[in-house]
Amino acid sequence: MSSLNRSRRTLIIVLIAFLLPVIIAWVILDQHWYQAGTNKGTLMANPVALEQAEALPEGWKLAYVPPKECQQACQNALFVMNQIDVAVGKDTDRVTPIVLTAAQRDDIAQYHQQFDFQDVVSADLLAQLDELPINTLFIIDPLNNVMLYYPTHADKEAMVLEGKNVLADLRKLLKLSRIG
């Protein structure tokens, strides 16, 4: 009898060893204690594939579509784009900061002396970006898919904190990317 009890006890211990992690994982997921994903921006469920993107430069792009008038949030976005381009370090040649507009704009052109970005004038590309919220920074991969976007802020400190989120995601993408 003692060997039968020992066998049952061993079987119960083995079952508990396999079932306990499954039960714990189920409870954690059921109670929403686990936050999936590590990205800091808003991941698009369906990435926007930009068609006819010949106007865009090669590689990764940090893009911004400015509002009709470049107010404080727009200026902060341009400042943060410039800072991110510098902060990327050795990968700075893999990332191009761009500003997308429908027509050449003087208010944006005045910031070229302060900030390093490329102007891309294309009404077709802007029409494809209608799904994105207005006044956001976004990341475009080398295959011209918009995948992550970030809000802009009129408060400079809030925008700098958002820039740190953009930089963290961009560094992760550049590290894991096998293209661009």
Side-chain angles (χ1 to χ4, degrees), residues 19-36:
L19 290 178
L20 189 63
V22 172
I23 292 169
I24 290 172
W26 179 76
V27 169
I28 288 173
L29 290 174
D30 188 53
Q31 297 300 317
H32 302 289
W33 293 337
Y34 174 72
Q35 299 285 326

Side-chain angles (χ1 to χ4, degrees), residues 22-96:
V22 172
I23 292 169
I24 290 172
W26 179 76
V27 169
I28 288 173
L29 290 174
D30 188 53
Q31 297 300 317
H32 302 289
W33 293 337
Y34 174 72
Q35 299 285 326
T38 60
N39 54 299
K40 308 216 187 272
T42 304
L43 184 65
M44 299 186 71
N46 298 318
V48 177
L50 299 176
E51 304 294 326
Q52 303 157 352
E54 296 84 27
L56 293 176
E58 295 289 318
W60 290 89
K61 291 148 291 271
L62 177 60
Y64 178 62
V65 177
K68 293 182 187 207
E69 290 185 26
C70 193
Q71 301 293 333
Q72 190 62 42
C74 171
Q75 294 169 20
N76 289 342
L78 295 174
F79 170 76
V80 165
M81 285 175 59
N82 187 59
Q83 296 301 311
I84 290 170
D85 189 37
V86 172
V88 171
K90 66 182 172 93
D91 289 325
T92 193
D93 57 333
R94 294 177 65 193
V95 180
T96 306

Side-chain angles (χ1 to χ4, degrees), residues 71-131:
Q71 301 293 333
Q72 190 62 42
C74 171
Q75 294 169 20
N76 289 342
L78 295 174
F79 170 76
V80 165
M81 285 175 59
N82 187 59
Q83 296 301 311
I84 290 170
D85 189 37
V86 172
V88 171
K90 66 182 172 93
D91 289 325
T92 193
D93 57 333
R94 294 177 65 193
V95 180
T96 306
I98 62 171
V99 174
L100 290 164
T101 55
Q104 200 70 323
R105 291 182 38 186
D106 293 334
D107 61 338
I108 299 297
Q110 74 180 0
Y111 295 109
H112 272 293
Q113 295 172 346
Q114 280 181 288
F115 310 121
D116 183 30
F117 61 86
Q118 183 175 342
D119 253 337
V120 176
V121 179
S122 174
D124 294 334
L125 287 175
L126 284 178
Q128 295 175 44
L129 295 170
D130 283 343
E131 294 178 36

